[in-house]
Amino acid sequence: TGNKSKKGGIVVTDMDTIEKSNLSRQLLFRDSDVGNFKSFAAKKAIHRFNENIHVEAHTCKVGEGVVNSPFQDKFWADDVDIVMNALDNMPARLYMDQQCVSHQKGLIDAGTLGSKGNVQVVVPFLSESYGSSVDPPEPSIPVCTLKSFPYEISHTIQWGRDLFDGLFNRRPSQANEHNPSISSIGASQFITHLRTKVGDDMALETAMELSEDLGGSASGASETIDSTGGIRWAIQVYQTLFLQSTARLLREHPADSLDDEGEPFWSGTRMLPKVLLYRGDCDPQDEVQMDWNRRVVEFVRAAARLRMEVYTAKLSVDDIPTMYQVRAVLNDEMTDYNVDGIDGV
């Protein structure tokens, strides 16, 4: 900003185009801007506020080794007063910081991460530069806290992210990686090779995942997952995560159990969990159970759809499971269901 040669103005550059997901994170872009370059759309938006502002828009990258760019030494030396960053990667931030330090320019760096935001103002000779310090690493959340004893919303979000990554990123990638070998040497020889490479326990876990994800065939599961199959798979995930694991935890630590120091086990940050059991025949006046049922249906439907999106070659709108289909399969699967031998939990 502050282009001296033009007696004031703004120079903006961004090599990216606008996507639908960008619209909720800023104030400049509109639906009609989707697909356009961000810099050009920003220029148009600025002129909506004040058409007399001089704005110079570019779509080129700013960085080391970039040729035929307007952002050469002359620009840094004479044509800019203050630099404002809204970047999404560390190398670009450090490059901009280096240029500002070398040419004694002010810098305002801003960024977001989820619900968090950060702004740093760098003033030549008065403050440290952006690259002078490194943020401390984010504290990690213990696995046992994520799986069994979450007590903050951030714990449940991280658990959900890990679950999503495992089911819909890691496992499909694993299936794509190993499917050619299974087709080439056969499942039996592949498992033998896998046991030698990673050990019995890891080989067994991987084999079970591959059997489930590849549908027991070398050709993969892309032709075998229909809506009912996706729903039944999602119900198994629900049963494992929200019924069996919770019931197992409650058997190990009942509601009235004590810890090693004689204090109630379920106290402080440990909150007593509930087994989220779906009951299709519940009383419609039972608002708590009806709310549980609704949440289970939403989870199963979303998980089934994601499963089908990943493993089905061509998924049409008609293939997507409906709430009615999910409830019908749930009613069938959950009739007389008891949690690891615990009836009526």
Side-chain angles (χ1 to χ4, degrees), residues 9 15 38 61 69 71 76 84 93 96 105 133 138 273 279 289 319 333 341:
M15 56 192 299
K38 292 180 178 179
K61 179 181 178 181
S69 165
F71 305 106
W76 292 106
M84 302 182 70
R93 279 190 163 96
M96 298 295 285
K105 306 296 182 181
S133 62
E138 290 284 338
R279 297 184 185 277
Q289 184 62 55
D319 296 326
E333 292 286 320

Side-chain angles (χ1 to χ4, degrees), residues 52-322:
N52 296 317
I53 296 178
H54 177 81
V55 182
E56 187 178 314
H58 299 278
T59 59
C60 57
K61 179 181 178 181
V62 180
E64 201 74 48
V66 178
V67 297
N68 298 325
S69 165
F71 305 106
Q72 303 298 331
D73 289 341
K74 182 180 182 304
F75 171 84
W76 292 106
D78 301 326
D79 292 346
V80 65
D81 295 316
I82 299 174
V83 175
M84 302 182 70
N85 278 352
L87 299 166
D88 60 0
N89 66 90
M90 189 60 66
R93 279 190 163 96
L94 293 175
Y95 174 82
M96 298 295 285
D97 178 65
Q98 180 185 18
Q99 294 300 317
C100 290
V101 170
S102 299
H103 296 92
Q104 301 174 14
K105 306 296 182 181
L107 170 65
I108 301 176
D109 183 87
T112 61
L113 179 61
S115 60
K116 300 177 181 178
N118 178 72
V119 176
Q120 180 177 349
V121 179
V122 178
V123 181
F125 307 111
L126 292 179
S127 66
E128 67 177 4
S129 66
Y130 176 85
S132 297
S133 62
V134 178
D135 291 339
E138 290 284 338
S140 59
I141 305 172
V143 174
C144 63
T145 298
L146 291 178
K147 293 181 65 176
S148 303
F149 310 113
Y151 58 90
E152 292 182 355
I153 292 177
S154 60
H155 298 163
T156 60
I157 293 173
Q158 185 61 51
W159 175 85
R161 291 178 61 180
D162 292 345
L163 176 67
F164 179 90
D165 183 71
L167 292 177
F168 306 114
N169 180 26
R170 181 188 63 80
R171 282 179 53 168
S173 299
Q174 174 181 262
N176 288 336
E177 177 185 356
H178 294 307
N179 194 32
S181 297
I182 297 173
S183 301
S184 175
I185 65 178
S188 178
Q189 190 172 344
F190 172 81
I191 295 300
T192 301
H193 171 74
L194 196 62
R195 291 176 61 186
T196 304
K197 186 177 180 180
V198 300
D200 289 349
D201 292 342
M202 183 62 73
L204 177 61
E205 180 179 343
T206 303
M208 292 177 64
E209 291 180 348
L210 289 172
S211 176
E212 183 177 293
D213 295 337
L214 294 177
S217 68
S219 62
S222 60
E223 298 177 357
T224 64
I225 297 182
D226 56 11
S227 59
T228 302
I231 293 171
R232 293 190 188 281
W233 173 86
I235 290 174
Q236 291 178 351
V237 175
Y238 150 69
Q239 292 171 342
T240 299
L241 295 176
F242 300 110
L243 301 182
Q244 296 168 9
S245 62
T246 307
R248 190 177 306 116
L249 184 63
L250 289 173
R251 279 198 304 273
E252 296 172 356
H253 305 286
D256 57 353
S257 61
L258 304 177
D259 61 19
D260 294 338
E261 299 178 355
E263 298 295 327
F265 183 86
W266 297 107
S267 61
T269 59
R270 293 197 196 107
M271 293 182 285
L272 184 68
K274 298 183 288 291
V275 177
L276 197 63
L277 185 62
Y278 176 90
R279 297 184 185 277
D281 58 351
C282 73
D283 183 352
Q285 302 302 318
D286 187 345
E287 295 182 0
V288 173
Q289 184 62 55
M290 290 294 290
D291 186 55
W292 285 10
N293 285 357
R294 178 180 60 80
R295 294 174 188 272
V296 172
V297 169
E298 289 175 350
F299 174 85
V300 170
R301 182 172 185 255
R305 175 172 181 173
L306 287 169
R307 173 82 168 174
M308 295 172 67
E309 292 274 7
V310 170
Y311 291 101
T312 303
K314 292 182 180 180
L315 187 67
S316 68
V317 175
D318 295 334
D319 296 326
I320 298 172
T322 64

